[in-house]
């Protein structure tokens, strides 16, 4: 099986089956290029995608009930 | 009979008043940052109850928001769902749109992306029907966020580099970028700079994950500009880190180091030790790429010290691994051996199998170099 994974079969059906296996990753052009280049593969492995800093969730709508009260004052419920 | 009617009207009037008063106090507490206390007032308001369905809808919505803020997403989901049901029942289109948006955001956090998309799309459709530009912009931003999270959830599970994800991940990220662009068009028309800042930040990260590093830099530069306009130092700090990351992948390590140094400076000013540690780690890695191992060691040692202080064993392990490599590069095999041993211990402790294997390989190499093993 290890040999099958390493050989990256070109057959589409086999490839689709492999894609469903946990952790299987087909070789990409750049990873092949890197493995040929040897040491260069360490270029980005330390800069993992988890490091991107996202915008925090927006929760600034703390006036909705106060606005309702103002509306009720202007036009009292009847 | 008349007196009786009068009495029931009085009770009802008092209850209406106290329900709204309790809810107002809940809202005031949330606004002041005490959502925990706010929730109890909202819950009390629900207990009292009200005939005014618009008020009830607002209370449900704020309860959902408060629970969201407290990271109690199942509860948040429950109340946003009540709000949606109510808004639909009374035919309040604007309320339905807002509730759908809130529900979508909560579902996104819970990882239910398909349902989140349906809800956010509903928010978008109603906002467009009502020609509500602010709502439309908000819905587009939220949709962008759902697709971004969807893409990132798969991206983070693997060990791919940015730009090298499977096609379905890329498709989700491209959709996210499209929604952020659409949002930007509207918020620019509306002159909402704060919203532009948020969209640029997330758009930049989406381009980064797609491997469009030049576009990522352009977006993060805009985010930086707006952060400075608002004096928002947390946003400024995020922009510096993100710019640093993009320049690493552009192969411009000197520029990356400059941005990471600015991150470090701000992290220290904001006394955020975790971010400070991360900036030191990034700087250590950048100087490794620049082959300046002395500086790399200096920053990795700073990272190690903070990781130890914060009792972050995973961070400590990473620091030891990096230090081992840097000392090896300098030919200081004794120090390299010391950190490789530490890396092995920590990897075993935290159950990091890959780390354990890497450390063992490094150790056997170093022992060979030092003549400790044959």
């Amino acid at each position: 099986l290890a040999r099958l994974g390493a050989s990256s079969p070109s057959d589409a059906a086999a490839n689709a089956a492999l894609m469903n296996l946990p952790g299987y990753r087909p070789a990409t052009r750049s990873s092949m290029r890197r493995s040929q280049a040897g040491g260069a593969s360490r270029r980005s492995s330390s800069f993992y995608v988890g490091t991107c800093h996202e915008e925090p969730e927006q929760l600034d709508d703390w006036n909705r009930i106060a606005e309702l009260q103002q509306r009720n004052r202007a036009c009292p419920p009847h | 009979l008349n007196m009786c009617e009068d009495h029931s009207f009085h009770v009802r009037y008092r209850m209406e008043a106290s329900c709204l008063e309790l809810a107002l106090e809940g809202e005031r507490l949330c606004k002041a940052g005490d959502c925990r206390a706010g929730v109890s007032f909202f819950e009390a308001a629900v207990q009292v109850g009200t005939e005014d369905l618009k008020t009830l809808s607002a209370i449900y919505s704020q309860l959902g928001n408060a629970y969201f803020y407290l990271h109690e997403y199942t509860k948040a989901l429950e109340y946003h769902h009540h709000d949606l049901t109510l808004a639909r029942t009374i035919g309040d289109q604007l309320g339905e749109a807002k509730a759908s948006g809130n529900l979508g955001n909560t579902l996104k956090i819970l990882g239910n992306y398909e349902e989140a998309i349906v809800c956010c799309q509903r928010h978008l459709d109603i906002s467009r029907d009502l020609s509500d530009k602010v709502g439309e912009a908000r819905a587009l931003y939220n949709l962008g966020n759902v697709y971004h999270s969807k893409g990132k959830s798969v991206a983070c599970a693997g060990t791919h580099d940015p730009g090298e994800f499977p096609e379905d991940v890329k498709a989700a990220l491209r959709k996210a970028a499209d929604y952020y662009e659409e949002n930007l068009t509207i918020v620019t028309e509306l002159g909402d700079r704060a919203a532009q800042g948020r969209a640029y930040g997330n758009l930049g990260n989406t381009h980064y994950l797609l491997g469009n590093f030049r576009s990522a830099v352009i977006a993060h530069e805009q985010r930086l500009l707006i952060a400075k306009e608002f004096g928002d130092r947390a946003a400024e700090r995020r922009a510096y880190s993100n710019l640093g990351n993009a320049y690493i992948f552009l192969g411009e390590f000197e520029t990356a180091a400059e941005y990471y140094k600015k991150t470090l400076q701000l992290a220290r000013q904001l006394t955020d030790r975790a971010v400070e540690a991360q900036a030191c780690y990034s700087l250590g890695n950048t100087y490794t790429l620049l082959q300046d191992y002395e500086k790399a060691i200096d920053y990795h040692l700073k990272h190690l010290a903070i990781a130890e202080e914060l009792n972050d064993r995973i961070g400590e392990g990473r620091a030891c691994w990096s230090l081992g490599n840097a000392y090896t590069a300098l030919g200081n095999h004794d120090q390299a051996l010391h950190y490789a041993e530490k890396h092995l211990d920590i990897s075993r402790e935290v159950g990091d199998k890959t780390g354990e294997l890497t450390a063992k390989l490094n150790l056997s190499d170093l022992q060979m170099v030092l003549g400790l093993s044959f």
Side-chain angles (χ1 to χ4, degrees):
Chain A
L1 187 69
R3 220 150 36 101
L4 188 70
S7 64
S8 294
S10 51
D11 176 56
N15 207 17
L18 283 173
M19 287 306 287
N20 290 324
L21 295 174
Y24 172 67
R25 176 155 75 118
T28 59
R29 257 187 307 151
S30 100
S31 72
M32 285 196 285
R33 187 183 67 231
R34 274 203 226 131
S35 57
Q36 282 158 9
S41 66
R42 266 181 53 200
R43 187 190 74 142
S44 56
S45 58
S46 320
F47 296 89
Y48 195 54
V49 291
T51 56
C52 63
H53 298 253
E54 269 151 43
E55 295 294 319
E57 291 285 342
Q58 265 309 103
L59 272 175
D60 50 7
D61 190 18
W62 294 123
N63 286 313
R64 198 166 157 181
I65 293 166
E67 278 163 12
L68 260 180
Q69 191 197 33
Q70 278 173 347
R71 184 209 67 179
N72 287 352
R73 277 201 192 120
C75 168
H78 34 266
Chain B
L1 191 81
N2 203 11
M3 249 183 67
C4 204
E5 267 183 5
D6 192 50
H7 178 72
S8 92
F9 173 78
H10 182 73
V11 169
R12 220 171 58 198
Y13 175 78
R14 282 301 310 151
M15 279 176 66
E16 287 295 330
S18 71
C19 176
L20 189 62
E21 279 160 15
L22 287 164
L24 273 168
E25 183 57 12
E27 195 171 70
R28 192 192 63 77
L29 286 161
C30 287
K31 205 174 177 176
D34 189 356
C35 281
R36 180 55 65 200
V39 159
S40 2
F41 277 89
F42 287 135
E43 296 269 20
V46 171
Q47 283 289 308
V48 171
T50 176
E51 285 187 342
D52 181 1
L53 296 180
K54 280 229 167 186
T55 300
L56 190 59
S57 161
I59 296 171
Y60 285 155
S61 168
Q62 298 300 50
L63 248 176
N65 287 338
Y67 275 123
F68 186 99
Y69 197 81
L70 292 168
H71 301 251
E72 292 181 38
Y73 301 113
T74 317
K75 278 278 188 188
L77 202 66
E78 185 187 326
Y79 282 103
H80 286 313
H81 203 263
H82 287 326
D83 186 22
L84 181 66
T85 309
L86 189 51
R88 274 187 184 156
T89 311
I90 60 176
D92 173 8
Q93 285 246 286
L94 191 64
E96 185 181 342
K98 282 186 182 175
S100 301
N102 289 331
L103 208 52
N105 277 346
T106 314
L107 287 162
K108 172 196 72 183
I109 300 276
L110 290 167
N112 190 342
Y113 301 115
E114 299 317 309
E115 276 189 62
I117 289 165
V118 173
C119 288
C120 291
Q121 186 65 48
R122 183 86 188 123
H123 185 193
L124 181 63
D125 293 342
I126 298 174
S127 301
R128 281 177 174 162
D129 283 349
L130 300 175
S131 305
D132 169 12
K133 280 285 174 188
V134 175
E136 186 182 350
R138 193 75 186 237
L140 288 165
Y141 179 70
N142 289 343
L143 266 169
N145 286 343
V146 177
Y147 279 107
H148 180 102
S149 297
K150 187 185 170 189
K152 213 185 153 183
S153 72
V154 183
C156 283
T159 48
H160 305 259
D161 282 338
E164 293 184 0
F165 301 121
E167 199 41 51
D168 55 334
V169 174
K170 283 190 170 183
L173 291 170
R174 272 188 222 112
K175 274 203 163 175
D178 290 344
Y179 282 118
Y180 290 136
E181 294 278 10
E182 266 194 88
N183 162 275
L184 267 168
T185 308
I186 299 177
V187 293
T188 307
E189 269 170 30
L190 296 170
D192 185 344
R193 289 293 275 167
Q196 283 174 58
R198 287 192 291 274
Y200 277 124
N202 285 349
L203 178 64
N205 284 332
T206 308
H207 279 312
Y208 170 80
L209 292 175
L210 280 167
N212 307 330
F213 303 116
R214 286 275 165 225
S215 307
V217 165
I218 291 167
H220 287 308
E221 277 172 349
Q222 289 300 313
R223 211 290 162 251
L224 180 60
L225 200 71
I226 296 168
K228 283 179 174 170
E229 264 173 43
F230 281 83
D232 181 349
R233 295 202 296 169
E236 194 182 334
R237 201 273 303 150
R238 286 197 301 274
Y240 288 141
S241 315
N242 291 329
L243 281 164
N245 293 343
Y247 276 110
I248 287 289
F249 282 92
L250 285 168
E252 297 176 37
F253 307 135
E254 299 276 6
T255 314
E258 290 314 305
Y259 280 117
Y260 287 138
K261 278 182 197 163
K262 288 186 174 178
T263 309
L264 181 58
Q265 207 179 357
L266 267 180
R268 282 178 178 157
Q269 280 174 23
L270 297 165
T271 57
D272 186 335
R273 294 292 271 168
V275 171
E276 189 181 339
Q278 202 184 9
C280 288
Y281 182 60
S282 300
L283 275 164
N285 291 333
T286 309
Y287 281 111
T288 303
L289 294 168
L290 285 165
Q291 297 181 324
D292 185 342
Y293 301 109
E294 305 276 357
K295 275 194 187 145
I297 287 168
D298 188 35
Y299 282 113
H300 281 309
L301 284 172
K302 286 190 175 104
H303 169 224
L304 180 61
I306 303 173
E308 280 169 352
E309 180 194 306
L310 300 177
N311 204 16
D312 168 16
R313 294 297 275 168
I314 292 169
E316 276 180 62
R318 242 178 241 161
C320 291
W321 178 70
S322 306
L323 282 163
N325 291 338
Y327 279 117
T328 303
L330 281 178
N332 186 340
H333 295 111
D334 289 319
Q335 281 294 345
L337 190 71
H338 168 73
Y339 285 108
E341 278 167 349
K342 225 173 145 180
H343 182 213
L344 181 62
D345 289 344
I346 296 170
S347 298
R348 277 182 179 146
E349 186 193 312
V350 300
D352 173 6
K353 290 284 167 207
T354 315
E356 196 179 325
L357 197 67
T358 314
K360 276 182 183 164
L361 289 170
N362 283 342
L363 272 173
S364 72
D365 283 353
L366 285 163
Q367 281 162 348
M368 194 121 77
V369 171
L370 289 166
L372 298 171
S373 144
F374 301 98

